[in-house]
């Protein structure tokens, strides 16, 4: 059995939502993860298109590491790219583009990675579960043991997905959205 087949996400943790943003239909997901890798190594993983393809729920056609850079960002499962401009890139500490903000902080010999992402409030628990799995995949990638990106409908089929969504929904005081019919979970 491969590491990917053995992978099961841990319990929902390190997340909160901010419900009082300027857009009433969107909440801000704030997700924190401590990684055993240097801020410089994590910065490369969140800005380099080749590394992003190994773990992130989107692809980009250029580096996200330079202020003013414009890239086409395509979310997995979405046919149309979104032209996205990098508005802040203070390596290896702060990165902002679109409705996403990353902060990296040296923490012991590793990094505390913080993500702020504005998400439709109806799907905030899905977003938290998706990023939770993406961060697990990122940690495997940075440790030299890649298990491959797990995202979109594929993530919804993964063991532990429904549990994560329910746990985050409970933490956030939100409803658990019903999965699409093509996302039957595997155990």
């Amino acid at each position: 059995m491969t590491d990917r087949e053995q992978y099961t996400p841990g319990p929902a943790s390190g997340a909160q939502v901010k419900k009082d943003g300027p857009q009433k239909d969107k909440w801000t997901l704030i997700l924190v993860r401590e990684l055993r890798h240097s801020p410089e190594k994590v910065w490369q993983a969140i800005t380099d298109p080749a590394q992003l393809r190994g773990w992130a729920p989107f692809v980009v056609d250029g580096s996200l590491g330079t202020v003013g850079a414009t890239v086409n960002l395509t979310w997995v499962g979405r046919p149309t790219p979104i032209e996205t401009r990098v508005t802040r890139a203070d390596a290896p500490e702060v990165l902002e583009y679109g409705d996403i903000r990353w902060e990296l902080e040296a923490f012991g010999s590793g990094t505390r990675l913080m993500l702020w992402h504005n998400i439709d409030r109806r799907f905030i628990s899905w977003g938290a579960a998706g990023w939770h799995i993406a961060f697990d995949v990122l940690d495997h990638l940075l440790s030299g043991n890649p298990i491959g990106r797990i995202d979109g409908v594929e993530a919804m089929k993964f063991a532990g997905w429904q549990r994560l969504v329910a746990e985050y929904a409970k933490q956030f005081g939100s409803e658990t959205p019903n999965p699409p019919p093509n996302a039957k979970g595997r155990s």
Side-chain angles (χ1 to χ4, degrees):
M1 197 177 318
T2 67
D3 285 344
R4 183 184 182 95
E5 291 168 335
Q6 294 176 2
Y7 167 73
T8 300
S13 65
Q16 61 183 11
V17 293
K18 182 178 168 189
K19 301 177 183 179
D20 59 353
Q23 298 174 319
K24 297 292 183 210
D25 61 334
K26 290 199 174 186
W27 288 353
T28 302
L29 170 66
I30 304 165
L31 194 60
V32 179
R33 179 69 64 96
E34 292 171 2
L35 300 169
R36 302 168 297 209
H37 316 283
S38 72
E40 293 77 16
K41 189 171 183 178
V42 175
W43 179 266
Q44 284 299 107
I46 67 171
T47 59
D48 177 60
Q51 290 191 49
L52 285 163
R53 274 189 290 281
W55 71 272
F58 58 82
V59 294
V60 291
D61 65 355
S63 174
L64 293 169
T66 305
V67 170
T70 300
V71 301
N72 288 309
L73 184 147
T74 306
W75 291 95
V76 171
R78 302 284 179 146
T80 309
I82 302 165
E83 187 173 272
T84 304
R85 185 172 175 272
V86 178
T87 54
R88 187 165 177 193
D90 301 331
E93 296 167 354
V94 180
L95 176 65
E96 293 180 6
Y97 53 88
D99 58 3
I100 295 177
R101 174 184 172 93
W102 300 94
E103 287 189 13
L104 291 76
E105 177 184 313
F107 181 76
S109 59
T111 302
R112 177 175 288 133
L113 178 64
M114 293 163 275
L115 165 73
W116 282 260
H117 187 186
N118 297 325
I119 299 175
D120 183 310
R121 64 181 176 80
R122 296 170 297 168
F123 302 102
I124 197 80
S125 59
W126 281 15
W131 280 114
H132 179 118
I133 291 171
F135 283 5
D136 286 351
V137 174
L138 171 61
D139 191 44
H140 278 271
L141 177 71
L142 293 175
S143 296
N145 186 24
I147 60 174
R149 179 169 55 193
I150 303 170
D151 52 22
V153 172
E154 181 186 7
M156 293 177 189
K157 293 177 183 177
F158 224 80
W161 166 262
Q162 295 295 338
R163 174 188 50 79
L164 269 180
V165 170
E167 289 173 4
Y168 281 120
K170 184 176 179 181
Q171 286 180 25
F172 302 156
S174 65
E175 292 183 25
T176 304
N178 292 323
N182 60 345
K184 300 290 184 210
R186 69 170 179 78
S187 298

